[in-house]
Amino acid sequence: MEKRNLFLSLLVLGTAFWGISFSVTKLAIGENQSALFLFYRFLLASLVLSVVFWKQVKNLDLKSVKTGASLAVPLVLGIYLQTLGITHTAASQCSFVAGITVVIIPVLKLVIYRKSAPLKIWIAAFTALLGLFVIAIKDNLSIGIGDLYTIIGAFCFAAYLVQVEKESQARNIIPTIVPMFATCAVLTFLLTLTQQNIVWVPQQDNFWIGIIFCALFSTAYMYTISNIAQRYISAERVAIIYLFEPVFGAIAAHFILGEHMSLRLLVGGTLIFAATLISELKLKWRPVKEVVS
C-alpha cells in the first residue's frame, strides 16, 4: 500500500476517535473544568509520545522546539474553544459545526499565499456555510454561544493545519511533535490557573476515562498521524477527510449520550458533508466548439 493511501486509511480511523471524543469529553467535563481536562489530556499525550519518539526527544534542537511551540498556539486555541462549545451545545451539533474547517482552509491559503481557490472550492464553501446556517442559527436569527465558540475554534484549527502543511513540506516534522504537545500542556495549565474553584484531582471516573481515551486516541494518535500525513496529503484534503468526524460524532452522541437526531441537524449535516464531495469533484470545463456552416 502506498504511503498516501495508508495515511488516508489511518486518518479515517482517527476521525472515528475524534467523533467519539466529543461525547466522551462532554461526559468527562460536564459543565466545568474544560481547561483542566485539556491540561491532563495534553500532559498524558506528551508523556506517551516522549516514550514513542524517545530518539527524537534525545536529539531535540532549538528549531524543533520553536516550531512545535508555534504549532501549539493555534492548536490549543482551536481545541479549547471547541471544548467550550461542547459544554454549551449538543456534542453531535458541535461536531458538525466544527466541520466548517474544510472551507476555511482554502480561504486562509488564498489570503496568506495569494493563491486563487478553484471554483469548486467556492461552491463547496457556500454549501457548507448553508449547512452551518441551518444547524447553528436559531429561529430568532441568533446564534448559540456554543456554536460561536466552535466556529471560532474552527478558524484556529484551520490556521493550525495550514501551518502544519507549510512546516511538513519544509522539513521532517516528527521532532516537533513532542515539543508541540508539551507546549499545549503548559498553555492549558496556565488557562486552568485563570479559572476559579478548580478541583485538581476530580473524583469522577468519567473524567479520568475521558482523559485516557482523548489523550491516547484523539490526541497522541490522531495529531501524530495527521502531522506526518501532511507530508503526503494537502491541508485541504486532510480537512475533507476530517468531515467523516461529524458522522462518527453524531452516531456516538446518539448511542453514548442519547442525543436526538433533529431534522435541522440531519439537513445541515448533509449539506456540510455534500460540500466535501463537491470539493473533491474534478471539474473540467471544455469549450464549446463552433459549428462552421
Side-chain angles (χ1 to χ4, degrees), residues 4 44 64 72 77 108 128-129 132 142 165-166 169 176 193 205 268 290:
R4 182 177 175 279
L44 179 56
S64 295
L77 287 174
L108 281 181
L129 288 173
L132 180 62
S142 64
E165 180 183 61
K166 178 183 176 182
Q169 291 176 351
T176 70
L193 292 178
D205 291 340
E290 296 183 2

Short mmCIF file of all heavy atoms in Angstrom, two decimals, residues 4 44 64 72 77 108 128-129 132 142 165-166 169 176 193 205 268 290:
data_model
loop_
_atom_site.label_atom_id
_atom_site.label_comp_id
_atom_site.label_asym_id
_atom_site.label_seq_id
_atom_site.Cartn_x
_atom_site.Cartn_y
_atom_site.Cartn_z
N ARG A 4 0.61 7.29 0.89
CA ARG A 4 -0.51 8.22 0.87
C ARG A 4 -1.81 7.51 1.20
O ARG A 4 -2.61 7.99 2.01
CB ARG A 4 -0.60 8.87 -0.51
CG ARG A 4 -1.71 9.89 -0.65
CD ARG A 4 -1.67 10.52 -2.04
NE ARG A 4 -2.80 11.41 -2.22
CZ ARG A 4 -4.02 11.00 -2.54
NH1 ARG A 4 -4.27 9.71 -2.68
NH2 ARG A 4 -5.01 11.87 -2.70
N LEU A 44 -0.68 13.82 29.46
CA LEU A 44 -0.56 12.38 29.24
C LEU A 44 -0.09 12.08 27.82
O LEU A 44 0.77 11.21 27.62
CB LEU A 44 -1.90 11.69 29.51
CG LEU A 44 -1.94 10.17 29.30
CD1 LEU A 44 -0.88 9.48 30.15
CD2 LEU A 44 -3.34 9.63 29.62
N SER A 64 13.35 22.80 16.40
CA SER A 64 12.20 21.90 16.57
C SER A 64 11.31 22.35 17.72
O SER A 64 10.09 22.28 17.63
CB SER A 64 12.68 20.47 16.81
OG SER A 64 13.36 19.95 15.69
N ALA A 72 1.62 24.83 18.58
CA ALA A 72 0.77 24.59 19.75
C ALA A 72 -0.24 25.71 19.97
O ALA A 72 -1.35 25.46 20.45
CB ALA A 72 1.64 24.42 20.99
N LEU A 77 -5.82 26.90 21.05
CA LEU A 77 -6.97 27.80 20.91
C LEU A 77 -8.14 27.08 20.25
O LEU A 77 -9.29 27.18 20.70
CB LEU A 77 -6.58 29.03 20.09
CG LEU A 77 -5.70 30.06 20.79
CD1 LEU A 77 -5.26 31.15 19.81
CD2 LEU A 77 -6.43 30.68 21.97
N LEU A 108 -8.13 30.79 3.90
CA LEU A 108 -6.92 31.25 4.58
C LEU A 108 -5.71 31.20 3.64
O LEU A 108 -4.89 32.12 3.62
CB LEU A 108 -6.64 30.38 5.80
CG LEU A 108 -7.45 30.65 7.07
CD1 LEU A 108 -7.02 29.70 8.18
CD2 LEU A 108 -7.30 32.09 7.52
N ALA A 128 -21.33 24.44 2.44
CA ALA A 128 -21.03 24.18 3.85
C ALA A 128 -21.55 25.29 4.75
O ALA A 128 -22.08 25.04 5.85
CB ALA A 128 -19.52 24.01 4.05
N LEU A 129 -21.42 26.54 4.31
CA LEU A 129 -21.92 27.67 5.10
C LEU A 129 -23.45 27.61 5.22
O LEU A 129 -24.02 27.95 6.26
CB LEU A 129 -21.49 28.99 4.47
CG LEU A 129 -20.01 29.35 4.62
CD1 LEU A 129 -19.67 30.59 3.81
CD2 LEU A 129 -19.65 29.56 6.08
N LEU A 132 -24.12 25.07 7.79
CA LEU A 132 -23.82 25.64 9.10
C LEU A 132 -24.95 26.56 9.56
O LEU A 132 -25.34 26.56 10.73
CB LEU A 132 -22.51 26.42 9.04
CG LEU A 132 -22.04 27.09 10.32
CD1 LEU A 132 -21.77 26.05 11.40
CD2 LEU A 132 -20.77 27.90 10.06
N SER A 142 -30.56 34.27 15.86
CA SER A 142 -29.40 34.40 16.74
C SER A 142 -28.59 33.11 16.67
O SER A 142 -29.07 32.10 16.16
CB SER A 142 -29.84 34.66 18.18
OG SER A 142 -30.56 33.54 18.69
N GLU A 165 1.03 22.07 7.24
CA GLU A 165 1.36 21.77 5.85
C GLU A 165 2.64 22.48 5.42
O GLU A 165 3.53 21.88 4.80
CB GLU A 165 0.22 22.18 4.93
CG GLU A 165 0.49 21.90 3.46
CD GLU A 165 -0.62 22.39 2.55
OE1 GLU A 165 -0.87 23.61 2.55
OE2 GLU A 165 -1.23 21.56 1.86
N LYS A 166 2.76 23.74 5.79
CA LYS A 166 3.95 24.51 5.44
C LYS A 166 5.20 23.92 6.08
O LYS A 166 6.23 23.74 5.41
CB LYS A 166 3.77 25.96 5.89
CG LYS A 166 4.98 26.85 5.61
CD LYS A 166 4.75 28.25 6.14
CE LYS A 166 5.99 29.11 5.95
NZ LYS A 166 5.80 30.48 6.51
N GLN A 169 6.29 20.35 4.69
CA GLN A 169 6.90 20.39 3.37
C GLN A 169 8.32 20.92 3.42
O GLN A 169 9.13 20.64 2.53
CB GLN A 169 6.04 21.24 2.42
CG GLN A 169 4.71 20.61 2.08
CD GLN A 169 3.84 21.49 1.21
OE1 GLN A 169 4.15 22.67 0.98
NE2 GLN A 169 2.74 20.94 0.71
N THR A 176 9.11 17.77 16.02
CA THR A 176 8.35 18.88 16.62
C THR A 176 7.13 18.41 17.40
O THR A 176 6.50 19.19 18.12
CB THR A 176 7.86 19.86 15.53
OG1 THR A 176 6.84 19.23 14.73
CG2 THR A 176 9.00 20.28 14.63
N LEU A 193 -5.15 27.89 35.58
CA LEU A 193 -4.86 28.77 36.72
C LEU A 193 -5.76 30.00 36.73
O LEU A 193 -5.97 30.62 37.78
CB LEU A 193 -3.39 29.22 36.68
CG LEU A 193 -2.34 28.13 36.94
CD1 LEU A 193 -0.94 28.72 36.83
CD2 LEU A 193 -2.54 27.48 38.32
N ASP A 205 -15.12 9.10 37.82
CA ASP A 205 -14.45 8.13 36.93
C ASP A 205 -14.52 8.58 35.48
O ASP A 205 -13.57 8.38 34.71
CB ASP A 205 -15.09 6.75 37.08
CG ASP A 205 -14.80 6.11 38.43
OD1 ASP A 205 -13.83 6.53 39.08
OD2 ASP A 205 -15.56 5.20 38.83
N GLY A 268 -28.62 20.03 7.84
CA GLY A 268 -27.38 20.82 7.83
C GLY A 268 -26.15 19.95 7.71
O GLY A 268 -25.21 20.28 6.97
N GLU A 290 -17.38 25.77 -32.08
CA GLU A 290 -18.31 26.40 -33.01
C GLU A 290 -18.50 25.54 -34.24
O GLU A 290 -17.55 24.96 -34.77
CB GLU A 290 -17.81 27.80 -33.42
CG GLU A 290 -17.73 28.78 -32.25
CD GLU A 290 -17.30 30.14 -32.73
OE1 GLU A 290 -17.13 30.29 -33.96
OE2 GLU A 290 -17.15 31.04 -31.89
#
